[in-house]
Amino acid sequence: MAEPRSPVSAAVSHIPISMPTPEGSTLEMDPMEYTLRKRLPRKLPKRRNDVYVNMKTDFKAQLARCQKLLDAHREICIHGLGLAINRAINIALQLQTSSQGALELSANTSTVELIDDLDPEDPDEAGEPLTRTRNNSAIHIKVFYPSS
Amino acid sequence: MTGAKDRMRQKKMKNQPRNVTYSSTGRNVERGQGSLASGWVRGHQTGGQGYSRDLPKYITASHFANARAAEVNGMLKAVSKPAGSCHVFNALPKHMRRRAMSHNTKRLPSRLREGAHKLMERSQQTEKDKKQLPKRRSRKARRRHGNLLLEFNRRQKKNKWLETHIWHAKRFHMLKRWSYCLPHKPTAKTYRSSYRAMNTHALLQDLSYFCCLELQGSEEQILSALCRLTSKDTGPTFGAGLFLSGSRQGSVHLYRADEYPHGSLGPADFLWRPRAPHTSHRQLWIWIHPVLKAEVVSELQLVCQCFEVLSTSEEICSVEGTLVGQKRKRDNEVDCSNTPSKKLLGDCTRAAGTPVCWGSADTAITISDLTMEIVRYRLIGPLAHMVLTDTLQPANEDKETVKPSDFWWPNHSKDQTNMKLHQQQTDTFQLLRGVCSTGEVPAGCVLGLTVDDPRLSLPQRRIKTIPGLQPCADECRVRDLTLRGVAAHCSESALWDASVRHSVTHNQMSQQELNRMRSEALVPGSRLVAPPQGCVPVLLVHQPGRVRGEERRHWGSGWDLLLPKGWGMAFWIPLVYRGVRVGGLHMSVKHSQFKGQPHFPHGYPDCPAGTLFQSEQEAELIEKFKRRPPSKRTNYIKHGCLAPFCCPWQQLTEEWEELVKLNEGTSSICRTGPPEFTLLRSLRVLRQLSVWCCPSRSRPVTHPPLTPEVAAALQEEWGRSLLWVRLRLMSKGQPALHAMVCIPTVSDLQLLLKDRRISGPLEPLHKDHVKNMINSKHKASHASKGSSSAPHMNPSKALPVGLIRGVWPQPLPSVLSHCSRLTLGWVVEGDFSLAAGCGEALAYISVSGLLRLLLQQPQEQRGVVLLRNPSSLQYRYAQIIVDI
């Protein structure tokens, strides 16, 4: 449960791909020739009080987990990536309201680089493995008891 | 156990005549005598035909008399010889036996006293004889190092030991499989902790039993030869550009030459040596399972035209010969000057003089068999690379020594280019520390490395490797590594060189020497000074985890560590000291199950090895089933389960094809291809089926939608094949081995629509007609005993031999429509999946059946099937997933 699962489902689909070539122009490829495989986002070192929110686990369970962590720690960090940003915010706000104002939030956003692999349809064709990177937004919310 | 029982029985029957046979001498006697002429066999004839009913018209008196005489002789012989070591009083009925009869002959009836007396004397004699035999040597003598090694060599003649055998044998249940002794399961309870290790830390396995075949020759010739064994339909082959550079390991499915899609052999991993400058000579390693070895070698010889034997394993047999000779001389000679390192050499899976290297004049390709030459360890888990970076220390360059040395590394490191490469490899290896999970590295990366003896930096006690919280400083280069993988030239290693391997194996520092160094170290527990012979070339090969499908990607990825032989234990202990768990064969089955991949040879019913495994498994399951009393067994007939032990794949595919043809009605196309079923491995078709099996959401329609015409075309091509699928149970249930996959009826689907958590329909109880048959037979025999008037009541209803109560007798009825729902296929591996958190099964289903199922089902319930365990009547809903 604790592992940060990918909130974006890594789907395999045929898509038209535009690759920036070294010359700078974009090269249009035949959509049927490549399959896109999304890699998982990079795992980051994880402390005990880090919570990576995903879209697969039940919302209530994740909320309860955060609540439990708050009993042991002064502050926890909730991370959400892509689609899970909404949920991360939701969890943080729920925590705050249920604590009757004892908790404070501080949110940071960042950009995470994700990697896609392109598998050629004709497997013996490509010499170099084709990969491309794209960016996705992430949010990191620190939920903490203010030091009085 | 049955083994002991069998042995007992064999001992008893040792002196008995095997069977009363009389082979007729007159060969050209007219056949009118029926079975009489062909000789006599004791007991009932197997095969159920019984005795021939039509009596012979005439009998030749001499033959008849000879046959009877042979029988009488046999019987007399059996009666006159005591069976095994049986005592005389065993002949007495139980109520006449008395206590301590064997000690006091007077307790026997007087007619038996004489015989008993003789026996007693004989037994006393044998005791005296035994005393005259040479005494068993004392434990101390037996445990002396040299003697122990001889004993070990004797014990691994039939089944070869891995280098870690003794370590494993202390902790694991060992299995004798494929002419190796392999660890199966630990004796401790470790199922869940091993799973946790795979999921969060690292699990270690010894895969040295995998066979490595080496091909050398020019690139074009090797490729043109090997392309006959594979097909591009099933994925990348030997010639894919990515693998050809040597920077990645690839895997293929091998077929017999030019027989795709028939003649499937099995999966193989392969690795090219990176190109050396200015030459087109290439080296290729193919790693295969030991079951496959004989077949693959013969196929390779065929496609490469390599039939000339270049060298045989005679050197090895000479070593063995000396050992055996010394053992025979043991009684006279006390000293044993055998060097202990000899233990590791040689391969007992090969008979002495077996060819290990083949070549040919035409193609200039040489094939060599490197079985047991290279040790292969597998680390599975997200922290596998951390364990490796902790354990292995890249070797230092040797600058002091100027004179040429006996060892390879000082000479090797003289060369400036070699040193530069070593530096780059070391840098890349250090970068791995910055990677957080093994799955982030591109699949199949290969990194060559030269490391110091890992025993030098052994921690004082077992520790657990944990990743540091600080992110790596070299963020940019780590990102490059995860994006591109290891550069091609860094995959080069001296391990490819046979002479280096030989030198490294033979110049290993002994454990004794190492312990001495350790005791002399000034600071206890500090790192020891690296001696010049302690540099080992290794290859690190990344193993992709789950590459197919959409869920749990990269789960179960890891690294393989390839070492020269002889260094197995030197690397094993340091790895274990880094807190990894060790798994056996059982865990590798589970690993591939959680990974959603068929495991070889369990899940390959089309390969010869898979069929062999199935028949073995069937025998084992029947044996286990028969061990229970009939009233405590599952009655599979009543449960409507036709094949609880072995799945009749051939019958299933044939019946589905017939059914589809019947539905089509008029157009009955005669198939001319070979009748064997195949497995569907074509990626193009799998991709289509995978999309069709998903319950439809708003998907971009790039694929052709499923229409009867498209299905008919597919059916035409792949009608008689099986498809490997994953099944996920929708609510409760734990699928078992050989559970049936069935097609739900329309009402079943409607029930599911109403309530998604519904458990499923029930199969009505079947009638056990075989039991009635047995009962009637019993009654008949009882009646005939009582009246002794009618010796044969109904000979037409004679039971077939080999009938087991509760299991269908052999000619099975239609497997398709035996139950209330049509059968699609069977589960080959099923269990509660700890990784998915629900029951998951891997099954093979008929392609024709699947197409029909998909055509009938509504869009939102595509791919819903029913699953029923062999010993249950409850159907469960499951979702078909085709991973690509």
Side-chain angles (χ1 to χ4, degrees):
Chain A
M1 284 292 137
E3 68 185 279
R5 285 222 176 103
S6 145
V8 282
S9 77
V12 180
S13 56
H14 292 285
I15 51 155
I17 295 150
S18 58
M19 290 277 297
T21 51
E23 295 88 57
S25 65
T26 53
L27 176 72
E28 277 296 322
M29 289 193 187
D30 186 9
M32 282 309 283
E33 271 188 12
Y34 286 89
T35 332
L36 179 75
R37 284 180 188 277
K38 292 177 184 171
R39 278 200 216 163
L40 288 185
R42 274 201 71 185
K43 260 193 182 173
L44 291 170
K46 189 165 168 285
R47 288 165 298 174
R48 296 209 89 111
N49 55 349
D50 276 329
V51 180
Y52 286 83
V53 173
N54 65 15
M55 295 305 286
K56 281 186 186 159
T57 314
D58 185 38
F59 178 81
K60 263 189 176 170
Q62 296 191 27
L63 188 66
R65 193 162 141 245
C66 294
Q67 203 81 56
K68 203 174 172 189
L69 276 177
L70 273 176
D71 294 343
H73 299 273
R74 293 282 311 165
E75 64 165 55
I76 63 169
C77 225
I78 302 173
H79 309 268
L81 174 68
L83 187 61
I85 292 177
N86 269 348
R87 185 171 268 199
I89 296 171
N90 202 349
I91 287 178
L93 291 176
Q94 291 274 337
L95 286 173
Q96 199 182 24
T97 45
S98 64
S99 73
Q100 280 118 21
L103 281 171
E104 282 191 18
L105 308 181
S106 99
N108 275 318
T109 58
S110 69
T111 306
V112 175
E113 196 167 66
L114 300 172
I115 305 174
D116 297 336
D117 284 323
L118 297 173
D119 289 354
E121 197 90 331
D122 184 9
D124 292 358
E125 281 288 298
E128 274 289 297
L130 282 173
T131 48
R132 64 169 195 186
T133 54
R134 66 193 154 84
N135 293 327
N136 207 345
S137 322
I139 193 166
H140 315 276
I141 309 171
K142 197 165 83 173
V143 184
F144 59 101
Y145 291 105
S147 52
S148 52
Chain B
M1 290 302 291
T2 50
K5 241 185 189 174
D6 283 344
R7 252 177 282 138
M8 199 68 168
R9 185 174 161 71
Q10 270 174 11
K11 203 174 160 194
K12 260 190 174 175
M13 302 304 287
K14 192 172 58 184
N15 292 325
Q16 297 292 341
R18 287 287 137 153
N19 49 3
V20 186
T21 50
Y22 159 68
S23 55
S24 70
T25 45
R27 287 270 170 264
N28 45 7
V29 177
E30 50 283 1
R31 310 297 302 166
Q33 297 183 3
S35 63
L36 297 185
S38 61
W40 291 90
V41 180
R42 188 166 67 177
H44 266 271
Q45 295 275 8
T46 49
Q49 79 235 30
Y51 302 108
S52 61
R53 242 158 267 140
D54 48 337
L55 290 168
K57 280 178 188 156
Y58 57 89
I59 292 171
T60 316
S62 60
H63 286 300
F64 191 72
N66 271 339
R68 296 290 84 71
E71 274 188 356
V72 169
N73 269 340
M75 271 190 274
L76 281 179
K77 208 172 160 193
V79 169
S80 62
K81 285 210 170 162
S85 66
C86 284
H87 293 279
V88 176
F89 53 83
N90 273 10
L92 279 177
K94 266 192 184 149
H95 68 277
M96 285 178 71
R97 293 187 194 171
R98 294 294 176 267
R99 200 161 53 87
M101 256 181 178
S102 52
H103 286 284
N104 191 355
T105 44
K106 284 184 182 163
R107 293 185 191 230
L108 277 166
S110 55
R111 66 185 163 90
L112 293 175
R113 255 175 226 167
E114 203 178 338
H117 214 74
K118 263 187 206 162
L119 264 183
M120 221 167 135
E121 270 174 14
R122 213 176 4 160
S123 68
Q124 277 163 0
Q125 249 179 15
T126 49
E127 262 171 40
K128 273 177 204 162
D129 289 344
K130 266 180 203 160
K131 269 170 197 163
Q132 280 158 13
L133 280 176
K135 225 167 101 183
R136 197 180 179 204
R137 269 177 297 150
S138 68
R139 180 182 158 83
K140 195 179 171 190
R142 274 182 282 138
R143 303 296 295 180
R144 209 169 278 148
H145 189 58
N147 298 353
L148 202 59
L149 285 187
L150 286 177
E151 175 70 8
F152 287 168
N153 277 324
R154 186 187 63 75
R155 272 160 57 187
Q156 51 179 317
K157 248 185 212 146
K158 208 184 262 176
N159 292 297
K160 177 74 181 159
W161 289 359
L162 304 181
E163 287 184 19
T164 52
H165 176 87
I166 295 176
W167 191 94
H168 273 122
K170 289 173 184 168
R171 296 160 178 86
F172 279 71
H173 297 292
M174 304 301 281
L175 270 187
K176 293 192 171 111
R177 278 270 170 88
W178 314 308
S179 73
Y180 288 93
C181 269
L182 300 176
H184 181 229
K185 261 182 180 181
T187 49
K189 280 187 187 177
T190 54
Y191 179 58
R192 268 165 192 269
S193 58
S194 296
Y195 167 73
R196 272 199 301 273
M198 276 196 282
N199 203 26
T200 57
H201 197 253
L203 183 89
L204 180 61
Q205 287 179 327
D206 188 353
L207 295 186
S208 309
Y209 62 93
F210 268 73
C211 299
C212 178
L213 300 175
E214 187 182 63
L215 263 69
Q216 291 191 39
S218 74
E219 187 179 309
E220 303 90 57
Q221 280 182 330
I222 292 182
L223 279 182
S224 65
L226 288 182
C227 73
R228 292 173 63 193
L229 296 181
T230 52
S231 166
K232 261 189 188 182
D233 278 1
T234 61
T237 60
F238 288 102
L242 194 57
F243 306 133
L244 209 53
S245 66
S247 62
R248 303 282 175 93
Q249 181 190 251
S251 54
V252 287
H253 193 91
L254 297 180
Y255 291 86
R256 288 189 195 284
D258 308 323
E259 279 190 32
Y260 174 80
H262 297 276
S264 150
L265 281 177
D269 287 343
F270 65 92
L271 181 60
W272 288 91
R273 186 178 186 174
R275 285 191 184 89
H278 323 302
T279 171
S280 69
H281 186 83
R282 296 298 299 267
Q283 231 174 320
L284 169 70
W285 278 348
I286 303 176
W287 290 86
I288 46 171
H289 196 274
V291 183
L292 282 176
K293 189 173 139 189
E295 281 157 345
V296 171
V297 166
S298 62
E299 272 319 296
L300 280 178
Q301 279 178 315
L302 183 75
V303 294
C304 300
Q305 304 290 320
C306 292
F307 296 107
E308 291 169 37
V309 175
L310 293 185
S311 66
T312 61
S313 58
E314 68 180 330
E315 179 217 352
I316 292 152
C317 84
S318 73
V319 169
E320 274 180 359
T322 54
L323 292 186
V324 172
Q326 278 184 0
K327 184 163 190 253
R328 291 222 180 99
K329 278 185 260 166
R330 175 51 31 79
D331 295 337
N332 315 335
E333 288 177 280
V334 185
D335 67 314
C336 170
S337 57
N338 189 25
T339 51
S341 64
K342 284 275 194 290
K343 182 191 87 162
L344 304 168
L345 310 183
D347 174 16
C348 297
T349 57
R350 288 187 290 234
T354 318
V356 289
C357 189
W358 300 268
S360 102
D362 308 338
T363 54
I365 300 178
T366 49
I367 306 173
S368 22
D369 179 5
L370 298 186
T371 311
M372 299 299 278
E373 289 288 311
I374 298 162
V375 175
R376 189 178 183 122
Y377 292 156
R378 177 166 290 177
L379 280 158
I380 303 164
L383 291 187
H385 63 287
M386 294 302 286
V387 172
L388 282 176
T389 47
D390 261 16
T391 314
L392 306 179
Q393 297 283 341
N396 292 319
E397 52 186 309
D398 213 339
K399 277 175 183 160
E400 292 91 64
T401 50
V402 185
K403 60 181 192 302
S405 158
D406 294 342
F407 311 118
W408 74 280
W409 178 243
N411 300 335
H412 186 80
S413 59
K414 289 278 181 332
D415 199 344
Q416 210 44 244
T417 52
N418 283 345
M419 232 31 244
K420 208 174 142 196
L421 179 66
H422 177 68
Q423 202 53 49
Q424 285 172 342
Q425 286 175 343
T426 311
D427 284 351
T428 317
F429 184 64
Q430 302 294 5
L431 277 185
L432 275 182
R433 209 160 244 294
V435 178
C436 285
S437 158
T438 311
E440 286 168 24
V441 183
C445 272
V446 181
L447 176 64
L449 202 62
T450 309
V451 296
D452 274 338
D453 193 339
R455 291 176 295 178
L456 298 172
S457 51
L458 190 71
Q460 282 199 303
R461 57 192 305 172
R462 198 167 172 225
I463 51 168
K464 192 166 185 183
T465 305
I466 37 170
L469 279 179
Q470 264 60 47
C472 182
D474 228 347
E475 199 62 53
C476 186
R477 291 182 61 200
V478 171
R479 183 175 156 268
D480 206 45
L481 178 71
T482 53
L483 204 60
R484 300 233 166 71
V486 181
H489 64 275
C490 284
S491 313
E492 174 65 42
S493 166
L495 192 69
W496 286 93
D497 208 335
S499 59
V500 171
R501 278 203 308 266
H502 188 259
S503 145
V504 169
T505 303
H506 287 265
N507 291 320
Q508 189 186 6
M509 193 166 50
S510 70
Q511 186 68 40
Q512 193 184 12
E513 179 76 1
L514 202 91
N515 288 343
R516 193 188 54 75
M517 278 171 66
R518 206 170 279 154
S519 70
E520 284 170 2
L522 286 177
V523 184
S526 64
R527 197 186 136 76
L528 303 175
V529 186
Q533 72 262 44
C535 291
V536 193
V538 299
L539 265 180
L540 301 176
V541 182
H542 181 257
Q543 288 297 319
R546 193 186 176 105
V547 283
R548 302 161 147 208
E550 303 188 2
E551 319 156 343
R552 302 201 302 277
R553 294 189 62 87
H554 310 307
W555 191 92
S557 56
W559 286 89
D560 274 14
L561 179 61
L562 308 191
L563 308 166
K565 76 172 167 184
W567 282 85
M569 277 320 279
F571 279 78
W572 185 264
I573 297 290
L575 283 174
V576 170
Y577 265 53
R578 260 68 186 197
V580 298
R581 283 246 163 222
V582 180
L585 286 179
H586 177 246
M587 223 46 214
S588 26
V589 177
K590 287 290 162 205
H591 174 234
S592 46
Q593 190 185 332
F594 293 155
K595 226 166 63 167
Q597 265 181 4
H599 187 258
F600 189 84
H602 296 235
Y604 285 82
D606 59 334
C607 302
T611 357
L612 182 74
F613 173 81
Q614 273 198 346
S615 55
E616 277 171 10
Q617 191 185 39
E618 185 190 12
E620 198 178 303
L621 289 175
I622 287 183
E623 202 52 48
K624 198 176 165 197
F625 182 72
K626 273 188 188 165
R627 241 180 278 154
R628 287 174 171 275
S631 59
K632 301 287 182 292
R633 291 178 195 160
T634 316
N635 190 335
Y636 287 118
I637 303 177
K638 279 195 171 177
H639 282 98
C641 174
L642 285 180
F645 306 126
C646 185
C647 308
W649 300 114
Q650 184 68 39
Q651 197 182 344
L652 179 83
T653 47
E654 277 168 16
E655 279 178 22
W656 264 111
E657 208 177 24
E658 269 171 35
L659 185 82
V660 171
K661 266 183 196 164
L662 269 182
N663 282 11
E664 281 173 9
T666 52
S667 63
S668 59
I669 310 120
C670 279
R671 191 171 292 273
T672 48
E676 278 88 36
F677 70 93
T678 54
L679 271 186
L680 177 54
R681 290 206 178 86
S682 161
L683 281 182
R684 185 181 52 83
V685 183
L686 282 177
R687 217 167 267 146
Q688 277 188 350
L689 286 174
S690 155
V691 174
W692 289 339
C693 282
C694 290
S696 76
R697 271 169 262 142
S698 56
R699 256 179 196 282
V701 189
T702 51
H703 279 271
L706 181 61
T707 53
E709 293 81 50
V710 182
L714 263 183
Q715 158 74 28
E716 191 55 39
E717 196 180 358
W718 294 99
R720 186 171 278 194
S721 26
L722 292 173
L723 173 69
W724 181 86
V725 292
R726 215 155 51 84
L727 298 170
R728 199 196 311 115
L729 287 175
M730 289 169 133
S731 54
K732 291 207 298 186
Q734 180 176 346
L737 184 72
H738 297 161
M740 280 158 280
V741 184
C742 301
I743 296 184
T745 58
V746 179
S747 58
D748 292 341
L749 288 179
Q750 277 167 353
L751 275 179
L752 184 66
L753 266 187
K754 268 183 215 155
D755 180 9
R756 283 205 65 82
R757 309 298 294 176
I758 197 167
S759 52
L762 279 175
E763 169 81 15
L765 203 64
H766 290 232
K767 211 169 180 97
D768 187 357
H769 69 283
V770 183
K771 190 179 172 190
N772 296 339
M773 225 155 85
I774 295 173
N775 284 348
S776 64
K777 176 91 180 163
H778 267 280
K779 270 177 201 162
S781 63
H782 276 297
S784 65
K785 253 185 201 171
S787 60
S788 71
S789 59
H792 298 293
M793 282 290 279
N794 42 0
S796 62
K797 272 197 175 177
L799 285 177
V801 180
L803 183 130
I804 310 164
R805 194 179 280 195
V807 180
W808 265 93
Q810 212 3 265
L812 294 178
S814 161
V815 288
L816 199 61
S817 48
H818 183 67
C819 306
S820 56
R821 273 89 180 164
L822 288 179
T823 307
L824 255 185
W826 289 281
V827 168
V828 286
E829 258 166 57
D831 199 357
F832 182 83
S833 164
L834 290 174
C838 62
E840 263 197 340
L842 311 180
Y844 281 101
I845 58 174
S846 157
V847 173
S848 322
L850 179 69
L851 287 175
R852 186 186 145 115
L853 167 90
L854 292 178
L855 280 174
Q856 283 174 352
Q857 283 180 339
Q859 277 282 332
E860 65 277 7
Q861 284 191 317
R862 281 266 169 89
V864 173
V865 288
L866 290 171
L867 206 62
R868 184 162 72 89
N869 281 349
S871 55
S872 150
L873 292 173
Q874 177 79 51
Y875 284 101
R876 304 271 183 198
Y877 290 102
Q879 172 72 44
I880 285 186
I881 304 160
V882 180
D883 286 337
I884 49 159

